[in-house]
Amino acid sequence: MKAAERLIFDQAGSLEDGIREGVQNGVDAPGSSHVQVAVQPSQQRTIIWDDGEGMGLSNDEVETFLTELFESTKDDADASIGQFGIGFAQMMAKAQVTVYTRAYITEFDASERTAWSDSPLDYRLWGPDEVAQQTDGMNPRSEFDGEPRFDGFDGFWVELDHYDDQVPDSEDLGDWDDVTDELRSRFKFIAAATGVRVYLNGEDISQPPGERYGNYQTYEDEQVYIALKHSSYGNVSVYSNGIHVENQYRDGVKGYVVTKANLSLNMSRDEVKSDCPVWAEVEPKVADLTKQVLQNTSDSRLSESGRTAIARLVREGHDDMGDREVFETANGETVSLEDIADHDSLAFAPQGHRRADKMLERGFMVLREPGDGGDDPNRELQEALSENVVDDTPDERAIDQWASAHGVSGGYETLDDPTDWNATMAVVETLNDQIAAEIEQDRRDVRFGQDESRKGWTDGGSEIVVTETAWHGDYTVGRILNIWRHLCHEYAHEENTEGVQEAPHGDGFARRFRRYIDATEHVATDLIDEVQRNGKKQTMAEHGHPLSQYRG
């Protein structure tokens, strides 16, 4: 019994899954043209019957079915007898099940073992004579208005007396409404796939595919009906022979796929098996229609999910998608694979990267670095480049080295001819010489750059770049003090701060900076005294940096 309980209850799905199995049985029944479903919240009961040919039952047949059922596994679920299939366990997980067909009554109860039988699961079977004697031609358990008399009923009747822990409270009609709404959604395409109509509490819920879906692109053949449209969130509902099975996520589209034959499903009947032969034939048709939908959606209307779907098609070698502008540069512009292929090299960089912006301004191709998760067309491209699956793409370069090779430092442009700064450059060079000597560090070459916000940056070893924001004020004393302090700051950085939006200022940096300030304060004050006493021209000349050297 332990194995039976595990198979039934541990692998069971929702209440709707259990009811669906009864509907599936009715749809598959030979000769069936309709299936009736009656959901009765007050009795915590669901009744399902069809008008098919029904089936005869014997103890041997039922016990053979149950034995095969419990010897099967989730991946090898082939036990069946007549209208009983492996999915019948879904019903047994939700209710005590009573089946009537051709004047036979069979009861199954997976929750409580009795002395009814020696099978792996409790059941009780009444034959025609016993049924006729005990029931007077009527169902002994049901009081459903309009039910057929058993003595004039040739179909297959399933009554589910739901276990208390498997259903909403009988007084909570709102939750029961959710159940019936879900059933309507699950069964709406059965008639379209099979010709068998489904009635829920007397209402015909069958709906032809395409109805109310005029803005969808569709495809239909003898095997499947598909309806898709572009969407920012991609849920495609899959219906096996018209009954809902699962929702599949697909980039850029939403809609539904209705197969006209049964798909191979797992035990819970809520997932298509990976080796399903029908789905193997249907999947390429879904992919083809998905591509058509994306082709008919303009670049400006594409969602991020849609752009990712097109990028994946590009990655898979669909050359006709090469002109779609779905990839994003580091400054937020969109470009196509053809645009990218026009360049010899490319790089990836975070959005807003200063160096990347400057490189883009100069006509280079710098794409936004992909994020960590979610839909991202740039990730598809980056992976395609790493796999060498896209032809005629540029060589990928590291943004910092590439930018440095083209004179773009830290995202801020360096100036090769700073002659307009005249005396300021002489001051910078004079202070740089003396600071390096006092702190006993290798002298770093000073270059000049321009940026409206940063005072400068360094490569951490051989070079310092300063900008006009490194000082303020028009008087000499202020300039000397600000330049001196900034040079100490850059010498305290032992790491490369080029292209870094926020340079690190940890404890090690703070100790070095304080030490350099203390060691070189006299350099700044002495230079101020000399300039005030002898004038700027003589002072700079005496320190080896005459002003004439820096004038154009």
Side-chain angles (χ1 to χ4, degrees):
M1 185 61 180
K2 292 293 185 182
E5 289 175 348
R6 183 176 184 277
L7 179 67
I8 291 177
F9 291 106
D10 290 358
Q11 300 186 20
S14 65
L15 174 62
E16 294 86 352
D17 291 329
I19 296 173
R20 178 198 59 201
E21 179 59 32
V23 176
Q24 180 75 64
N25 286 341
V27 170
D28 292 343
S32 176
S33 65
H34 68 265
V35 178
Q36 298 275 358
V37 183
V39 178
Q40 302 174 325
S42 59
Q43 287 87 16
Q44 293 191 170
R45 180 171 57 198
T46 300
I47 303 172
I48 305 160
W49 74 94
D50 63 68
D51 63 346
E53 299 174 4
M55 59 181 289
L57 293 175
S58 69
N59 280 305
D60 288 344
E61 288 175 321
V62 174
E63 294 205 12
T64 296
F65 161 69
L66 292 174
T67 299
E68 291 182 0
L69 177 68
F70 297 117
E71 289 178 351
S72 300
T73 67
K74 190 169 186 178
D75 294 323
D76 181 26
D78 297 324
S80 64
I81 177 172
Q83 282 183 245
F84 291 104
I86 189 70
F88 199 77
Q90 288 287 323
M91 287 191 287
M92 292 189 284
K94 301 301 172 185
Q96 178 179 328
V97 181
T98 302
V99 173
Y100 180 92
T101 179
R102 291 189 185 174
Y104 288 84
I105 292 179
T106 310
E107 293 182 351
F108 300 90
D109 190 347
S111 68
E112 183 175 351
R113 188 160 184 79
T114 67
W116 286 354
S117 74
D118 295 325
S119 72
L121 181 73
D122 285 339
Y123 80 93
R124 188 171 184 181
L125 174 68
W126 287 277
D129 294 340
E130 188 177 6
V131 170
Q133 294 173 5
Q134 296 188 15
T135 67
D136 192 26
M138 298 296 293
N139 183 343
R141 294 188 174 278
S142 177
E143 300 175 358
F144 179 63
D145 293 338
E147 69 183 37
R149 289 181 58 86
F150 280 176
D151 55 7
F153 177 66
D154 294 328
F156 197 85
W157 172 289
V158 179
E159 183 175 322
L160 307 178
D161 286 315
H162 297 297
Y163 300 128
D164 290 340
D165 61 350
Q166 297 294 328
V167 294
D169 191 299
S170 60
E171 297 181 358
D172 193 343
L173 297 182
D175 285 348
W176 278 100
D177 286 343
D178 292 340
V179 172
T180 54
D181 287 345
E182 177 66 19
L183 295 177
R184 285 188 181 89
S185 175
R186 291 192 180 209
F187 305 146
K188 63 183 178 181
F189 294 139
I190 289 181
T194 67
V196 179
R197 306 194 75 80
V198 175
Y199 295 83
L200 178 60
N201 292 337
E203 173 193 353
D204 184 353
I205 62 173
S206 305
Q207 178 180 315
E211 188 173 304
R212 299 196 306 270
Y213 294 92
N215 59 338
Y216 282 62
Q217 289 183 234
T218 61
Y219 171 87
E220 184 175 15
D221 62 17
E222 71 284 349
Q223 188 179 45
V224 68
Y225 186 94
I226 309 169
L228 301 174
K229 74 172 184 177
H230 173 251
S231 175
S232 58
Y233 54 95
N235 268 338
V236 175
S237 299
V238 177
Y239 292 77
S240 171
N241 206 19
I243 297 180
H244 183 261
V245 174
E246 66 175 346
N247 292 324
Q248 295 183 354
Y249 180 81
R250 289 181 176 266
D251 286 322
V253 295
K254 72 175 183 178
Y256 53 87
V257 177
V258 184
T259 64
K260 300 177 183 180
N262 286 330
L263 297 169
S264 300
L265 307 176
N266 63 353
M267 170 69 78
S268 300
R269 303 293 186 98
D270 59 4
E271 184 177 335
V272 180
K273 294 174 72 172
S274 60
D275 60 352
C276 173
V278 175
W279 188 252
E281 296 180 12
V282 167
E283 166 67 25
K285 300 172 185 178
V286 178
D288 287 344
L289 188 59
T290 297
K291 181 177 178 180
Q292 291 179 34
V293 170
L294 296 171
Q295 284 176 320
N296 293 333
T297 305
S298 65
D299 293 344
S300 61
R301 292 185 58 244
L302 282 171
S303 63
E304 187 74 0
S305 177
R307 292 170 56 219
T308 300
I310 290 179
R312 187 168 295 120
L313 289 171
V314 169
R315 179 181 177 182
E316 293 170 356
H318 293 259
D319 295 337
D320 53 344
M321 292 294 196
D323 63 343
R324 302 302 299 272
E325 295 182 353
V326 297
F327 304 106
E328 190 175 357
T329 65
N331 62 3
E333 300 293 330
T334 53
V335 294
S336 68
L337 183 65
E338 292 179 357
D339 297 328
I340 295 169
D342 286 338
H343 294 76
D344 294 328
S345 301
L346 66 78
F348 287 90
Q351 196 161 20
H353 191 286
R354 293 286 188 87
R355 278 185 154 180
D357 290 346
K358 288 292 186 180
M359 292 291 283
L360 284 162
E361 289 175 8
R362 295 185 181 192
F364 295 97
M365 180 57 66
V366 185
L367 299 172
R368 174 185 52 76
E369 192 170 75
D372 293 333
D375 297 323
D376 195 330
N378 283 28
R379 183 184 302 109
E380 294 292 330
L381 178 63
Q382 190 174 56
E383 291 177 359
L385 294 174
S386 67
E387 297 165 359
N388 294 317
V389 295
V390 179
D391 296 332
D392 301 324
T393 53
D395 296 328
E396 187 174 349
R397 306 286 297 274
I399 181 61
D400 288 325
Q401 291 88 335
W402 194 30
S404 293
H406 289 278
V408 177
S409 181
Y412 319 102
E413 204 163 5
T414 56
L415 302 177
D416 294 328
D417 185 17
T419 53
D420 290 342
W421 292 4
N422 300 330
T424 300
M425 186 168 182
V427 171
V428 171
E429 295 283 18
T430 300
L431 287 169
N432 186 40
D433 290 344
Q434 296 187 49
I435 289 172
E438 289 292 334
I439 64 174
E440 298 181 343
Q441 295 289 325
D442 291 338
R443 182 183 184 280
R444 299 183 190 181
D445 294 333
V446 176
R447 300 181 67 188
F448 288 82
Q450 63 182 22
D451 179 68
E452 295 180 355
S453 60
R454 287 194 68 176
K455 296 179 179 180
W457 53 93
T458 179
D459 65 0
S462 63
E463 182 180 88
I464 293 173
V465 178
V466 295
T467 73
E468 286 184 283
T469 54
W471 59 85
H472 56 79
D474 294 330
Y475 58 96
T476 300
V477 172
R479 287 198 175 196
I480 291 174
L481 290 175
N482 284 314
I483 293 170
W484 157 70
R485 187 176 182 85
H486 174 67
L487 289 174
C488 289
H489 179 278
E490 296 303 333
Y491 270 106
H493 277 299
E494 295 182 345
E495 69 290 326
N496 192 329
T497 62
E498 293 181 83
V500 179
Q501 300 298 311
E502 290 293 336
H505 296 103
D507 292 342
F509 165 85
R511 286 193 295 270
R512 289 190 297 273
F513 179 53
R514 187 70 263 163
R515 186 168 71 250
Y516 296 167
I517 287 288
D518 292 342
T520 63
E521 184 177 5
H522 72 91
V523 170
T525 55
D526 288 349
L527 187 60
I528 291 171
D529 289 342
E530 290 181 52
V531 169
Q532 290 178 333
R533 183 173 62 252
N534 302 322
K536 189 182 303 178
K537 182 177 180 180
Q538 179 180 333
T539 301
M540 296 301 107
E542 290 176 353
H543 285 283
H545 299 288
L547 298 183
S548 59
Q549 178 179 331
Y550 304 101
R551 299 189 186 278

